[in-house]
Amino acid sequence: MIMNCSEIRTIDGRGPLSSKNSRRFRVLLACTAAFAATILLTAGVSPATVKSSACRVASCSGKYPTQQGCDDGRTIDRKEPGGGGPDVLLRVSARCGAAWAYMGKANSSWDYRIQGGQGTAMKTYSAWADLGRPTYTPMVPTNKPYRACIKGVTDGDWYCTPWH
């Protein structure tokens, strides 16, 4: 059935569920749903992937973003190790109030980490790159300072993004 959204211009005084207007009402509902789906897809979000997070801020610490519904993150910074190599990305989820370090497919020699917190409450979570797939660290809350770091293969020094 092809819907014509222009059919919904007028609905008589008997209400949308009267027998005369039931088709118009169904077309109105279908057009509204199609419009909402278009808005979501234009925003880069499919209706099937809209989900809520299982954690928020401190309760996300040490958990993985994809398992908690926090993988809506965006990259806010990146750092390349001294001597060259792949960038480690610092990603943040506004929905979860958490950050993690991410690395695309790379040789497993690359060690990277996320650091978050202050003083004795500082948390550090490490990960190794994987040639077969992208990898990421567990999360840290964004209500305290945090940064992503990558270890240089040739010199063993850590190269970090600024604190955020």
Side-chain angles (χ1 to χ4, degrees):
M1 171 174 97
I2 298 175
M3 292 181 296
N4 181 356
C5 291
S6 65
E7 288 182 33
I8 60 173
R9 279 185 238 151
T10 60
I11 294 178
D12 66 27
R14 291 185 283 177
L17 295 178
S18 69
S19 61
K20 187 173 185 178
N21 290 322
S22 64
R23 173 161 164 59
R24 285 185 182 145
F25 184 70
R26 286 191 312 268
V27 169
L28 173 65
L29 285 176
C31 289
T32 302
F35 178 73
T38 301
I39 294 299
L40 287 172
L41 290 172
T42 303
V45 178
S46 74
T49 61
V50 174
K51 57 185 173 183
S52 63
S53 62
C55 67
R56 182 88 179 117
V57 193
S59 68
C60 291
S61 187
K63 297 177 182 173
Y64 289 95
T66 56
Q67 296 170 352
Q68 299 299 311
C70 301
D71 50 342
D72 66 323
R74 63 183 180 87
T75 299
I76 64 165
D77 212 338
R78 63 183 62 232
K79 187 65 177 181
E80 180 182 328
D87 287 351
V88 63
L89 306 180
L90 178 58
R91 298 190 47 87
V92 172
S93 168
R95 176 176 43 206
C96 296
W100 63 93
Y102 171 90
M103 185 174 288
K105 297 177 186 178
N107 178 310
S108 62
S109 299
W110 298 102
D111 184 11
Y112 65 100
R113 64 188 180 194
I114 183 87
Q115 292 180 302
Q118 295 173 310
T120 59
M122 172 76 72
K123 297 285 185 192
T124 299
Y125 299 109
S126 297
W128 288 90
D130 188 330
L131 195 54
R133 62 185 172 81
T135 56
Y136 48 89
T137 65
M139 298 180 286
V140 296
T142 56
N143 63 346
K144 303 282 189 222
Y146 57 94
R147 67 181 182 178
C149 303
I150 186 166
K151 190 174 187 177
V153 172
T154 56
D155 59 11
D157 290 339
W158 285 95
Y159 298 88
C160 301
T161 65
W163 289 99
H164 291 267

